[in-house]
Amino acid sequence: MSQLEARAAELRAALDRIASLDGPMARAATAIAASFGAGGKLLAAGNGGPAAEAQHLTGELVGRLVPSRERAALPAIALHADTSTLTAVGNDYGYDRVFARQVEAIGRPGDVLLVLSTSGASANLVAAVDVANARDLVTIGLLGPGVRPLHERCAHVLTVESPSMQVVQECHLLLLHVLAAQVEDLVAAPAAIAELR
């Protein structure tokens, strides 16, 4: 079996398992759409590959997921994308505080903090979720397998069960696209938000 065939087989096995996330996905999408409907915003963060995926999500929400479906821009911010703030906070407070400090600055009750982590234990994401929870933000984690600090702290947890970090990240991209589509559906039909709560 080639390396490509082996990776594809790992991915297929993980994809077969994520169908069980339908309910948690719907609840996470509802939380995001409800925040938008109440004038809130989405903050997203990750490290490395998950940072790129967090920024992918915010781009889809500020822009649009489906080109044929025009809608208002949705307020979503990728916390790692502001490199001046990231490096200033990292320099002054340490890397473990780079996201928490931003949540302190711009997070408001009812906003949503979405974090992506394959390990579920990144110290800077744990600190951000702790601040978010203390300030009454809704927290969502797209995570890898196990029960780690982020699994225990996030209100909504979408766990990809795979021993491969690469497969976890590949599945996270699928989940982000579905999440964005569900949020767009709910924003287009606000009455549906109340039904899903």
Side-chain angles (χ1 to χ4, degrees):
M1 183 181 288
S2 72
Q3 192 174 51
L4 178 59
E5 289 171 322
R7 172 59 59 77
E10 279 186 301
L11 181 57
R12 275 193 296 274
L15 289 172
D16 287 343
R17 289 189 290 269
I18 65 173
S20 65
L21 296 178
D22 265 342
M25 283 283 293
R27 289 187 289 275
T30 300
I32 295 169
S35 179
F36 289 156
K41 60 189 169 293
L42 173 76
L43 308 176
N47 294 293
E53 293 189 328
Q55 197 164 344
H56 188 135
L57 174 64
T58 59
E60 300 288 16
L61 295 174
V62 173
R64 62 183 176 197
L65 181 67
V66 180
S68 62
R69 185 179 188 175
E70 192 55 57
R71 59 158 172 78
L74 298 171
I77 302 164
L79 297 179
H80 58 276
D82 182 352
T83 55
S84 294
T85 295
L86 197 73
T87 54
V89 173
N91 186 61
D92 293 346
Y93 295 93
Y95 192 67
D96 288 357
R97 300 296 301 167
V98 293
F99 301 134
R101 187 77 173 171
Q102 291 182 79
V103 173
E104 290 173 11
I106 60 178
R108 298 292 176 266
D111 287 349
V112 175
L113 173 65
L114 184 148
V115 297
L116 293 101
S117 174
T118 54
S119 72
S122 301
N124 57 5
L125 297 176
V126 171
V129 169
D130 285 344
V131 170
N133 286 332
R135 292 174 177 248
D136 294 323
L137 279 72
V138 176
T139 52
I140 299 171
L142 270 68
L143 308 172
V147 179
R148 307 296 300 281
L150 288 171
H151 295 80
E152 297 172 337
R153 285 168 165 79
C154 290
H156 302 278
V157 177
L158 304 173
T159 300
V160 173
E161 296 291 344
S162 173
S164 166
M165 287 190 301
Q166 293 87 358
V167 168
V168 169
Q169 291 178 17
E170 289 154 4
C171 290
H172 280 174
L173 180 58
L174 170 63
L175 294 176
L176 290 177
H177 280 152
V178 173
L179 191 61
Q182 290 181 346
V183 169
E184 285 193 343
D185 290 344
L186 290 166
V187 168
I193 297 172
E195 291 175 20
L196 284 172
R197 280 189 181 148

